[in-house]
Amino acid sequence: MSIYIERKFLGFISSKLEQFKQKQTDLYNFRCPYCGDSKKNKLKARGYVYRKSNDYFFICHNCGKSTTFAKFLEHVDGTTYKQYVLERYATGETGHQPYKKPDFSELKGNAWSRFQSTDAEPRGDSAQTSSLERTWRAFAHYSIKNLPDEHYARAYIKNRKIPEQFWDEILFVPQFREFLDKEFPQHSKDEVPNDDRVVLLYTNEKGEITNVAGRALSDTKIRYVTVKVSDEKKLFGLHRVQKENCIYVVEGQFDSFFLPNCVASGDSNLGGVAAVLPELDVVLVYDNEPRNRDIVKQIEKSIDKNLKVCLFPESVKGKDVNEMIQNGLTLTEIKDIIDANTFSGLTAKLKFTQWKRC
Ligand SMILES: [Zn+2]
């Protein structure tokens, strides 16, 4: 029950936190009391208290400081902290924030409610709901949606025209390696850059995380890093897929936000994705690069396997779905173009010969 105590004590000290506001249930934002936040802009607030499992934690997206609620409270107000320790002791909550079974009865009002409302019929059992709930709740304090309007990562996502309904699934982390070590201590990648990145989480059908991708926002040799955190097949957006409908498969994670019922491979091996979705209605939407030998080879292989592939007409400008959107096409137009230019079998072979440029 410590979450109630933590909520109460955060209330007690909220007047000491500049620009304090509640962003959503169990997510609070204010100016960081460790680094003092931006000196130039007094309105900038990059400190967050967020809920993970049944406890509160603190993180700052300016200085990178992250700690338990108890330590945060002690830093802000030593006297209130002593009362807090006493109250926890009195209610039997001793020790330092032990992890307990999350209280699912309280979960509401985040990403999952959107999935439920868009589904014709609610899918899955309660265990599935809980995994999705936990995934997005655990990362809410990193989400683009909760960043201030003028933040450069938010501006980057806005500029790429990513629909706002997905912004709570796109994260910004100020230090990528530290984020991985903290949130996914089981990852086994050695050389991870510790720079600021937009982070995308690969999920399985239950919404559990399988891989973590970080895209650099500043100039660097390593633009994309993908880190395995489970042994499951790497597929982006799988928790959104309804298997009874046509599934679009694209290369880029960002591209997958523009098509309904869409997953991304994160590479050009779309045939490999089709292989893990057997006997389903799958359309492979490769990047529109008729001069790229690797992609041309991959498409040919997929046609030989009698898979459905989209071959964009020459009139469509843009090398991938995201570029086409940035060039002015709407979501409906893109889907219509793909549907009208999806081929298989002999027709695909003929169209492919006309389409390729190498
Ligand atoms: Zn700070």
Side-chain angles (χ1 to χ4, degrees), residues 32-37 58 60-65:
C32 172
Y34 289 93
C35 66
D37 233 302
F58 168 83
C60 170
H61 289 328
N62 186 42
C63 64
K65 171 83 184 173

Side-chain angles (χ1 to χ4, degrees), residues 15-72:
S15 61
K16 298 197 170 189
L17 300 166
E18 287 176 67
Q19 301 289 332
F20 180 90
K21 47 194 160 304
Q22 181 165 4
K23 304 282 275 188
Q24 61 188 60
T25 310
D26 294 326
L27 184 67
Y28 309 85
N29 172 230
F30 42 86
R31 282 169 71 79
C32 172
Y34 289 93
C35 66
D37 233 302
S38 169
K39 303 284 172 287
K40 279 187 238 140
N41 186 344
K42 292 282 170 216
L43 294 175
K44 276 228 164 82
R46 283 163 295 191
Y48 290 86
V49 163
Y50 64 99
R51 177 177 175 163
K52 186 166 167 179
S53 192
N54 217 15
D55 291 296
Y56 274 180
F57 290 85
F58 168 83
I59 191 167
C60 170
H61 289 328
N62 186 42
C63 64
K65 171 83 184 173
S66 70
T67 187
T68 61
F69 181 75
K71 291 222 172 87
F72 164 74

Side-chain angles (χ1 to χ4, degrees), residues 211-356:
N211 285 263
V212 179
R215 194 214 185 277
L217 287 171
S218 27
D219 269 341
T220 167
K221 271 178 264 168
I222 323 162
R223 206 146 65 103
Y224 273 99
V225 187
T226 305
V227 180
K228 235 172 130 71
V229 298
S230 94
D231 287 329
E232 288 177 78
K233 172 75 189 168
K234 185 180 77 137
L235 258 183
F236 182 77
L238 197 55
H239 64 278
R240 276 191 290 273
V241 159
Q242 290 176 287
K243 288 186 164 176
E244 57 277 23
N245 296 332
C246 168
I247 302 168
Y248 296 96
V249 183
V250 294
E251 297 187 26
Q253 302 101 332
F254 286 125
D255 298 324
S256 74
F257 293 128
F258 301 102
L259 288 168
N261 218 36
C262 186
V263 290
S265 57
D267 53 37
S268 61
N269 181 15
L270 304 193
V273 175
V276 297
L277 303 169
E279 297 176 34
L280 299 176
D281 185 13
V282 170
V283 171
L284 306 183
V285 184
Y286 289 90
D287 280 358
N288 185 25
E289 294 188 80
R291 284 187 174 81
N292 181 321
R293 273 174 207 288
D294 177 46
I295 291 175
V296 168
K297 220 162 69 190
Q298 297 271 4
I299 296 180
E300 190 163 25
K301 259 178 22 191
S302 293
I303 293 174
D304 286 341
K305 286 185 193 152
N306 210 24
L307 295 164
K308 287 202 230 173
V309 299
C310 166
L311 298 167
F312 287 101
E314 227 183 319
S315 56
V316 173
K317 299 292 166 238
K319 69 165 174 49
D320 56 35
V321 172
N322 199 168
E323 266 196 30
M324 293 169 195
I325 292 279
Q326 288 182 300
N327 289 341
L329 287 179
T330 66
L331 300 187
T332 322
E333 285 168 341
I334 296 250
K335 185 184 177 295
D336 289 347
I337 290 170
I338 290 172
D339 290 344
N341 293 281
T342 293
F343 311 102
S344 64
L346 283 175
T347 324
K349 279 188 187 178
L350 181 67
K351 293 278 180 187
F352 172 68
T353 329
Q354 296 162 351
W355 176 82
K356 66 174 183 172

